[in-house]
Amino acid sequence: MKIRVSNLDKKYTKKGDFILKNINLELNNGIYGLIGPNGVGKTTFLHVLLGILPMTAGEIICDNDIKFASDEFYDLVGYLPQYPKFYKHFTAN
């Protein structure tokens, strides 16, 4: 699968500032990591890429006619945050 990100912007309306501005990249099959200082938009980018947050502008296209943020898309993409959050009613045995 190939994911192409074109002219991606994310703006927070409360502050009015862009956290992501004009992001352009292409991701092919593989494992990727984002490295950078706190507050530069790594988590925001991942949340937009996964459809958790809406983008302000831009486009995310998946090849093979896979619709972005569809069930088929989520079947192919994995995400493990550094500090995962769980539902309160989940328990471990």
Side-chain angles (χ1 to χ4, degrees):
M1 180 170 79
K2 181 182 349 181
I3 300 173
R4 189 171 64 240
V5 178
S6 302
N7 303 314
L8 177 68
D9 291 346
K10 175 60 181 169
K11 184 177 188 178
Y12 286 112
T13 55
K14 290 180 183 178
K15 292 182 179 181
D17 297 332
F18 283 96
I19 190 68
L20 302 173
K21 183 74 173 162
N22 199 31
I23 305 294
N24 294 284
L25 59 91
E26 188 172 290
L27 302 169
N28 294 298
N29 287 336
I31 298 171
Y32 294 87
L34 295 175
I35 300 171
N38 292 342
V40 297
K42 299 179 301 290
T43 301
T44 299
F45 173 72
L46 287 173
H47 286 177
V48 170
L49 185 64
L50 295 169
I52 297 169
L53 286 174
M55 63 185 96
T56 303
E59 184 175 48
I60 298 174
I61 299 172
C62 304
D63 68 352
N64 301 326
D65 298 322
I66 298 170
K67 185 175 182 325
F68 170 67
S70 66
D71 287 342
E72 186 179 4
F73 175 81
Y74 291 125
D75 286 345
L76 297 171
V77 174
Y79 170 61
L80 178 62
Q82 181 176 2
Y83 301 106
K85 295 184 179 162
F86 301 98
Y87 296 108
K88 290 181 181 182
H89 65 278
F90 278 11
T91 60
N93 294 324

